[in-house]
């Protein structure tokens, strides 16, 4: 029996769905929808002035990206901060990224060193919080943070491992934001400085140890059962 290919959405609907997806993703990232909050398609459609089908399409995409959950017979919701997935992602990162960092320290050339120093400089000089973006860290800082961590690992020279890092980084974005919100006294500046120093000192053992500690702290802030704040 031949299968009929799904009918693609009309261009107008796709554009609306893209807009609603971007709006909802940004709202979740900024904390406008708290961990565990219901994402009710009917309410969101009314709020955005679009059809229910457009909202559902955007929500399904958010589920695929890890920014929403689809609950049996209960619609959609923001993932809970205590969800086991964050610990599983953290475990995967602690397993893979220190190996990549060791490889980078051993294989990286002078250009890699320069990129690491530049990425750390940008991260250190980018404000983590700006009033207009709410209580979660800023989009500019989030990007500088991603670039610093990725640059540290790029010296490994393995594109397959780097693609794995990219997927894990995207999957753990909410965990990072919630962890920072729950532990505002954490000295991330010092942690990143130690990472840069260990990497550029060409000490693979120290660099891997600092990275494991860094990743462990992020996951630890999401382990208990208290609400954020």
């Amino acid at each position: 029996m031949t299968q009929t290919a799904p009918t693609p959405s009309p261009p107008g609907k796709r554009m609306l769905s893209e807009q609603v997806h971007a709006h909802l993703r940004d709202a979740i990232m900024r904390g406008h929808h708290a961990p565990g909050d219901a994402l009710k398609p009917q309410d969101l459609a009314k709020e955005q002035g679009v059809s229910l089908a457009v909202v559902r399409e955007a929500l399904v995409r958010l589920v695929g990206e890890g920014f929403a959950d689809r609950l049996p017979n209960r619609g959609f919701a923001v993932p809970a901060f205590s969800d086991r997935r964050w610990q599983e992602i953290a475990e995967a990162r602690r397993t893979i990224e220190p190996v990549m960092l060791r490889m980078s320290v051993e294989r990286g050339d002078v250009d890699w060193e320069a990129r690491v120093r530049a990425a750390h400089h940008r991260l250190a000089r980018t404000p983590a919080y700006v009033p207009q973006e709410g209580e979660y860290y800023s989009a500019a800082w989030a990007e500088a943070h991603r670039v610093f961590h990725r640059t540290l690992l790029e010296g490994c020279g393995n594109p397959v491992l780097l693609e794995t890092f990219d997927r894990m980084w995207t999957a753990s974005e909410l965990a990072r934001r919630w962890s920072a919100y729950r532990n505002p006294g954490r000295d991330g500046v010092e942690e990143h400085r130690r990472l840069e120093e260990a990497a550029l000192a060409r000490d693979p053992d120290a660099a891997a140890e600092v990275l494991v500690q860094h990743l462990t702290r992020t996951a630890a802030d999401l382990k208990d059962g208290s609400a954020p704040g």
Side-chain angles (χ1 to χ4, degrees):
M1 188 173 95
T2 58
Q3 289 185 333
T4 304
T7 304
S9 302
K13 182 183 175 185
R14 284 201 303 273
M15 185 178 297
L16 282 173
S17 180
E18 287 282 349
Q19 292 171 355
V20 173
H21 166 268
H23 171 82
L24 289 175
R25 189 178 188 274
D26 185 63
I28 293 169
M29 295 270 272
R30 292 191 182 198
H32 297 163
H33 298 287
D37 275 2
L39 297 169
K40 300 178 180 178
Q42 296 88 343
D43 294 346
L44 294 171
K46 184 176 180 180
E47 174 191 310
Q48 295 298 306
V50 298
S51 71
L52 197 58
V54 166
V55 169
R56 286 188 178 278
E57 188 173 305
L59 286 169
V60 167
R61 183 175 170 188
L62 287 170
V63 169
E65 296 170 341
F67 290 97
D69 285 339
R70 192 166 197 167
L71 309 176
N73 304 317
R74 290 163 51 200
F76 300 86
V78 179
F81 75 89
S82 57
D83 194 302
R84 180 172 173 77
R85 83 182 71 179
W86 311 126
Q87 303 305 322
E88 292 171 343
I89 293 170
E91 182 179 56
R93 293 189 64 193
R94 286 195 301 267
T95 300
I96 295 170
E97 291 181 33
V99 174
M100 295 174 67
L101 185 53
R102 285 176 177 275
M103 293 166 65
S104 288
V105 169
E106 292 166 356
R107 298 177 179 178
D109 57 14
V110 173
D111 287 339
W112 170 75
E113 290 183 358
R115 293 197 304 274
V116 168
R117 193 171 295 281
H120 180 260
H121 180 76
R122 179 175 293 279
L123 176 61
R125 293 300 183 94
T126 301
Y129 300 93
V130 295
Q132 60 268 34
E133 292 195 35
E135 296 178 309
Y136 287 8
Y137 53 67
S138 71
W141 187 89
E143 177 60 9
H145 187 212
R146 182 193 70 79
V147 169
F148 172 64
H149 274 269
R150 196 182 198 280
T151 303
L152 278 172
L153 305 182
E154 283 174 352
C156 77
N158 188 314
V160 176
L161 286 173
L162 289 168
E163 287 172 8
T164 301
F165 164 81
D166 290 338
R167 289 194 299 272
M168 292 192 299
W169 186 270
T170 299
S172 57
E173 182 58 36
L174 283 178
R176 276 189 297 280
R177 288 170 182 258
W178 293 341
S179 176
Y181 182 64
R182 288 166 60 80
N183 186 5
R186 179 178 175 183
D187 192 352
V189 173
E190 174 63 13
E191 290 179 36
H192 291 130
R193 184 191 65 77
R194 289 180 62 212
L195 263 175
E196 181 210 25
E197 287 185 352
L200 297 186
R202 299 292 182 155
D203 188 336
D205 291 336
E209 181 180 352
V210 172
L211 181 57
V212 168
Q213 292 172 355
H214 183 64
L215 297 175
T216 299
R217 289 189 184 104
T218 298
D221 290 330
L222 301 179
K223 275 190 174 178
D224 65 56
S226 61

